Amino acid sequence: MPFTRFLRNLRKGHLLGIINKRSHFRDNGQAKVMYNTKQSAQKAADKMSQKIGTHFSNYKCIWCNGYHLGKNRENKT
Ligand SMILES: [Zn+2]
């Protein structure tokens, strides 16, 4: 497989992950908690990580233009 194609696939997968509805909605269909700034999302992620003992990350959401927290499984990039 050509290297450029590999890169394109990577980018495609990345985009699909972000556009996926699950980046904005929980499993139960309700919207996730939204943070207005990267800073507040980062702070909340740190707190959640300490409380639950799992790594949480934060990412910008294209659905609501805010930030959400996610576990690694949901946000690998
Ligand atoms: Zn959202």
Side-chain angles (χ1 to χ4, degrees):
M1 183 166 70
F3 186 61
T4 48
R5 183 145 167 217
F6 171 67
L7 280 181
R8 198 158 40 216
N9 284 344
L10 254 188
R11 204 155 30 192
K12 230 180 176 178
H14 173 70
L15 271 177
L16 280 177
I18 288 176
I19 291 172
N20 195 301
K21 235 174 52 165
R22 289 207 39 194
S23 62
H24 180 74
F25 294 100
R26 296 166 175 275
D27 290 338
N28 65 12
Q30 291 191 319
K32 291 185 172 191
V33 177
M34 192 260 261
Y35 300 90
N36 289 315
T37 64
K38 179 98 179 157
Q39 282 85 353
S40 55
Q42 182 66 63
K43 253 187 220 166
D46 288 346
K47 257 188 210 159
M48 287 284 275
S49 297
Q50 281 175 6
K51 196 171 151 191
I52 298 179
T54 311
H55 177 74
F56 280 83
S57 50
N58 63 84
Y59 55 88
K60 177 125 174 122
C61 174
I62 64 152
W63 294 82
C64 66
N65 223 27
Y67 292 87
H68 297 299
L69 305 187
K71 288 179 200 164
N72 277 345
R73 185 171 56 82
E74 294 170 331
N75 182 18
K76 289 184 182 139
T77 53

